[in-house]
Amino acid sequence: MADTTRITVTLTAELVAALKELTDDVSGYVAEAAARELGRRLVEADLQRHQEKHGVFTEAEPADARSRIGGHTRAGASTGRSSR
């Protein structure tokens, strides 16, 4: 098991109630959500560095990448980026 550190986090009563309806392990749920967000931000930073070095993505590139990694798309998402 990974080392852990106990911290205090303040959440609204409504949020805590909703979390308790979803899981018996609120701490684990919050830890997983934080890890996902950190991972998302790391990927976003990597993509930004790539574009700074190689130019902005074409409209087709993000769609191609999503299809290669399982077809996941965000509803209504648009790249809004111009071609290189």
Side-chain angles (χ1 to χ4, degrees), residues 13-83:
E14 294 82 11
L15 182 55
V16 172
L19 288 169
K20 287 183 176 181
E21 287 184 23
L22 292 174
T23 182
D24 292 332
D25 183 12
V26 172
S27 181
Y29 188 93
V30 171
E32 287 179 23
R36 276 193 307 275
E37 177 63 16
L38 289 172
R40 185 195 65 76
R41 288 181 184 212
L42 289 171
V43 168
E44 187 175 287
D46 284 345
L47 292 172
Q48 183 63 39
R49 280 190 297 274
H50 177 86
Q51 289 183 95
E52 287 169 0
K53 184 175 182 180
H54 302 286
V56 297
F57 295 117
T58 66
E59 185 132 345
E61 287 172 320
D64 181 53
R66 282 189 295 272
S67 70
R68 290 172 184 248
I69 60 172
H72 298 287
T73 60
R74 293 189 331 228
S78 170
T79 62
R81 299 192 172 147
S82 60
S83 52

